[in-house]
Amino acid sequence: MNVYDSTRMSDVLAPLGYLPTDQPDGADMIILNTCHIREKASEKVFSELGRLKQMKQEKSADGGRMILAVAGCVAQAEGDEILRRAPQVDLVFGPQTYHRLPELVTRTLRDENAGGVLDIDFPLESKFDALPEESVVEGSAAFLSIQEGCDKFCTFCVVPYTRGAEFSRPASDIFAEAQRLVAAGAREITLLGQNVNAYHGSAPSSVFAAQSGASVTPGTWGLGRLLRYLAEIDGLERLRYTTSHPRDMDDELIAVHGDEPKVMPYLHLPVQSGSDRILEAMNRRHTADDYRRIVERLRESCPQLALSSDFIVGFPGERDEDFADTLRLITDVGYAQAYSFKYSPRPGTPAEAIEQQIDETVKSERLETLQNLLSAQQVAFNQASVGHTMPVLMEKTGRREHQLSGRSPFMQSVFVEANRRLLGEVVEVRIDKAHARSLEGSVVTGSYNGIAAAGATSSSQAPSSSQATGPVGGPAMEAAS
Ligand code: SAM
Ligand code: SF4
């Protein structure tokens, strides 16, 4: 979401003459787009501001002026505090006000000694209505924000306070933005939202439908319906979405995984804990078995579905047996990859006030045990891909000469030796080798518009291995024959 927001900030600033740069030294403006989700992430902001202060002074000594801005959720949560602790900061604005950047920048430039400009409103107008059309698409995989904010109020989480109430963009706006992204070169779009499957945007008007040539039904749409609509866009080959809440996996969304080939067989579905006691204390509003049942239904719909999740260890009051329940859930489900964190008390959240906070050493031990289990599952999942041929979207050049990297349908990073002409294409790759976090493969000759790719090996050399043997939901693509 922050990557998406940053590109949109570039779009807003472009008419003022600002261009993105890879080199912060000497820049006219530096925006730190920040995350407040865990303490570590927000601490980084202040240490980075110390480093940037020096850069700003150097620019000033050379007779220039650098605007130093802090954006994002740390800005939203700690706006005044940032200006007090870091007077080198000129401008602080939250995630819902960056469409006002031209005005904020003008105010900042006008009054250098005003002590910092602050805008952390939750404005009535939607920023999406005020943003210009997006100008930058980097590479073939793009992000598109469709939903923001959250009304779930999990007791550990700051999102409802920093991003505000749930809001869904109208389907026609999303469709138009997706069309522009595809016209600019995107082959894959990941739909974004803090709670993306809570999406409930207004359906396109019949006028818009007539113009776009797409089929529509009136009313409010859920994510499943939106995905079907976006899948109608020619040239768009892959759709993903993140991040989802288990309670919002409705029938249509589950069905779409089974019958819409453009929706990739990979789902990030955070569960946080496998203990019902902890899930209740977290206010997750589902049990561990509810989650297991959802996964079962998803796999009935899409047998090859690979899953990922988020886990928090050391939530206040978590006992050994609760943690054991989490390990059991992981073993039952089988993940292709996952993200796991030590619980981090966040200011103003209900869990921060719970008395039985867990000792840091215990948290670290649990995290290590959990990560060992998850890594073993990821390794097994990757190993199970070897010998299979799967479509890979070539996204960027690798570190080695003639190396490209892309993504498998299951979000695995895949490295191949291939011609740069394949960038932005979906090509068939036979997987030769698995690493802990990536795969290596060879482009199957002729899989790219009939053009033989450099480094490609003949498909007749591919092993004729049968079905994958990894975790449930492991790669079930056909072995090349
Ligand atoms: N909406 C998603 C859901 O309901 O699961 C989660 C989105 S949240 C922005 C991303 C992840 O950060 C969460 O799934 C959770 O694992 C982690 N997280 C959030 N607050 C945390 C905290 N206080 N301490 C540790 N991890 C946290
Ligand atoms: Fe945070 Fe996700 Fe819970 Fe919303 S549903 S409060 S974003 S963890």
Side-chain angles (χ1 to χ4, degrees):
M1 181 72 81
N2 274 18
V3 172
Y4 175 85
D5 286 343
S6 297
T7 56
R8 302 314 313 270
M9 287 176 204
S10 292
D11 295 337
V12 181
L13 289 168
L16 276 72
Y18 289 98
L19 292 169
T21 171
D22 292 337
Q23 296 298 328
D25 305 75
D28 297 311
M29 171 161 22
I30 293 182
I31 303 175
L32 290 185
N33 193 8
T34 62
C35 176
H36 199 240
I37 199 84
R38 283 171 293 278
E39 195 177 2
K40 236 186 190 168
S42 43
E43 268 169 14
K44 274 193 205 162
V45 178
F46 286 100
S47 63
E48 192 67 8
L49 281 174
R51 202 173 67 83
L52 294 176
K53 181 179 179 180
Q54 204 181 338
M55 234 180 245
K56 184 175 170 168
Q57 283 165 344
E58 281 163 17
K59 173 121 183 165
S60 175
D62 288 344
R65 168 135 194 231
M66 176 188 284
I67 295 182
L68 195 48
V70 181
C73 290
V74 176
Q76 189 67 41
E78 299 184 20
D80 292 316
E81 176 70 2
I82 293 171
L83 291 176
R84 197 186 59 75
R85 267 178 73 180
Q88 68 272 32
V89 173
D90 302 287
L91 172 58
V92 175
F93 56 97
Q96 304 308 348
T97 52
Y98 62 75
H99 57 292
R100 295 178 178 167
L101 259 171
E103 178 204 330
L104 296 173
V105 169
T106 309
R107 269 167 57 196
T108 307
L109 287 171
R110 198 188 306 138
D111 196 353
E112 198 171 342
N113 302 313
V117 172
L118 177 72
D119 188 349
I120 49 172
D121 284 356
F122 285 110
L124 283 177
E125 82 271 10
S126 158
K127 70 176 174 226
F128 292 106
D129 292 338
L131 288 170
E133 286 189 2
E134 56 295 326
S135 56
V136 214
V137 176
E138 282 184 15
S140 46
F143 293 125
L144 201 173
S145 201
I146 65 163
Q147 180 278 342
E148 271 203 66
C150 183
D151 297 341
K152 293 271 190 305
F153 289 93
C154 299
T155 55
F156 54 82
C157 185
V158 288
V159 167
Y161 312 98
T162 55
R163 287 270 173 176
E166 221 174 82
F167 163 80
S168 297
R169 296 175 68 189
S172 53
D173 290 5
I174 296 168
F175 191 86
E177 188 168 332
Q179 279 183 316
R180 289 194 296 269
L181 291 172
V182 172
R187 292 287 162 267
E188 172 180 303
I189 294 181
T190 301
L191 306 180
L192 299 176
Q194 267 80 37
N195 202 0
V196 73
N197 59 340
Y199 177 81
H200 57 280
S202 51
S205 70
S206 49
V207 175
F208 177 81
Q211 279 169 357
S212 70
S215 55
V216 286
T217 46
T220 299
W221 281 359
L223 182 59
R225 188 65 191 83
L226 179 73
L227 284 163
R228 290 190 197 287
Y229 183 45
L230 296 176
E232 293 177 22
I233 297 176
D234 282 341
L236 176 59
E237 299 188 38
R238 294 177 157 198
L239 282 162
R240 303 182 188 275
Y241 58 94
T242 199
T243 296
S244 297
H245 191 287
R247 271 184 63 110
D248 293 317
M249 288 309 303
D250 64 22
D251 293 348
E252 168 115 45
L253 188 52
I254 291 176
V256 102
H257 275 279
D259 57 32
E260 178 42 69
K262 288 188 180 178
V263 174
M264 288 294 97
Y266 170 87
L267 177 63
H268 182 66
L269 191 62
V271 64
Q272 316 299 352
S273 168
S275 153
D276 289 346
R277 211 174 62 81
I278 297 299
L279 286 169
E280 196 179 343
M282 287 176 164
N283 190 32
R284 290 291 289 181
R285 294 183 265 178
H286 62 80
T287 63
D289 278 347
D290 292 338
Y291 183 87
R292 284 185 180 88
R293 271 190 293 275
I294 293 164
V295 168
E296 217 173 274
R297 289 180 55 216
L298 277 159
R299 283 181 169 151
E300 273 163 23
S301 171
C302 175
Q304 59 177 356
L305 188 80
L307 281 160
S308 151
S309 192
D310 289 342
F311 297 92
I312 295 178
V313 298
F315 184 82
E318 185 186 68
R319 301 185 198 129
D320 286 345
E321 52 267 39
D322 298 309
F323 180 59
D325 285 343
T326 303
L327 297 180
R328 194 161 36 250
L329 180 99
I330 294 173
T331 307
D332 290 349
V333 172
Y335 290 96
Q337 57 169 282
Y339 303 87
S340 45
F341 317 100
K342 287 194 262 185
Y343 166 72
S344 166
R346 306 311 295 126
T349 56
E352 188 207 14
I354 302 177
E355 273 175 19
Q356 308 107 306
Q357 297 290 324
I358 305 293
D359 188 77
E360 274 306 307
T361 338
V362 175
K363 281 189 200 172
S364 300
E365 283 167 10
R366 286 183 186 162
L367 188 66
E368 194 184 336
T369 308
L370 182 112
Q371 290 185 337
N372 286 342
L373 177 59
L374 289 167
S375 295
Q377 290 193 340
Q378 184 168 5
V379 168
F381 184 83
N382 286 347
Q383 288 290 353
S385 306
V386 175
H388 290 268
T389 295
M390 49 179 86
V392 174
L393 173 61
M394 293 301 162
E395 290 179 19
K396 47 190 176 200
T397 49
R399 258 187 243 142
R400 294 208 305 261
E401 212 185 336
H402 305 305
Q403 190 186 49
L404 301 186
S405 85
R407 293 264 174 200
S408 79
F410 312 106
M411 276 300 272
Q412 296 148 297
S413 290
V414 184
F415 292 90
V416 294
E417 298 279 312
N419 194 304
R420 282 180 66 99
R421 277 179 306 170
L422 296 194
L423 281 174
E425 299 294 327
V426 176
V427 292
E428 293 294 318
V429 171
R430 191 198 60 204
I431 305 304
D432 302 324
K433 209 168 168 188
H435 302 283
R437 305 209 179 280
S438 65
L439 302 173
E440 272 180 62
S442 318
V443 176
V444 173
T445 310
S447 69
Y448 165 65
N449 296 339
I451 300 167
T457 33
S458 162
S459 57
S460 62
Q461 293 167 357
S464 58
S465 69
S466 56
Q467 208 72 328
T469 51
V472 182
M477 312 304 287
E478 284 305 304
S481 57

